[in-house]
Amino acid sequence: MGSGMLEVGIDVLRPISPVEKIFRETLPGVVSGYEVREQQIQMALMVERGLLHDEHVIAEAGTGTGKSYAYLIPLSFVRRG
């Protein structure tokens, strides 16, 4: 999947953000037992968008969603970039 695109349907691709790439490609390879969670990625993308556009984000997610990574990774990535 290293093309920077994500397949969203038959013959349909969309760009994948650097933050999403971390969740889909990097974490599964470096964190033992890590599972890709779509809700976690959605939350991370909302946090990323909020940071980039200076907007507030309020998110509620159940136990096991991965909230810590979902806000810390976009924060570190946006501040670094």
Side-chain angles (χ1 to χ4, degrees), residues 16-38:
I16 183 170
S17 80
V19 167
E20 185 175 359
K21 186 174 182 175
I22 290 170
F23 286 96
R24 293 196 184 280
E25 297 178 13
T26 305
L27 290 178
V30 297
V31 177
S32 178
Y34 178 82
E35 296 178 15
V36 174
R37 300 178 190 111
E38 293 303 319

Side-chain angles (χ1 to χ4, degrees), residues 7-78:
E7 186 173 331
V8 293
I10 298 173
D11 297 325
V12 178
L13 299 174
R14 69 165 173 80
I16 183 170
S17 80
V19 167
E20 185 175 359
K21 186 174 182 175
I22 290 170
F23 286 96
R24 293 196 184 280
E25 297 178 13
T26 305
L27 290 178
V30 297
V31 177
S32 178
Y34 178 82
E35 296 178 15
V36 174
R37 300 178 190 111
E38 293 303 319
Q39 291 176 323
Q40 181 183 45
I41 294 169
Q42 290 172 4
M43 183 177 164
L45 292 173
M46 287 182 359
V47 170
E48 178 186 36
R49 186 178 66 228
L51 290 166
L52 290 172
H53 298 283
D54 197 28
E55 297 173 346
H56 295 281
V57 174
I58 298 174
E60 181 179 16
T63 302
T65 303
K67 294 178 290 291
S68 297
Y69 281 162
Y71 67 81
L72 290 172
I73 288 174
L75 178 62
S76 64
F77 201 90
V78 169

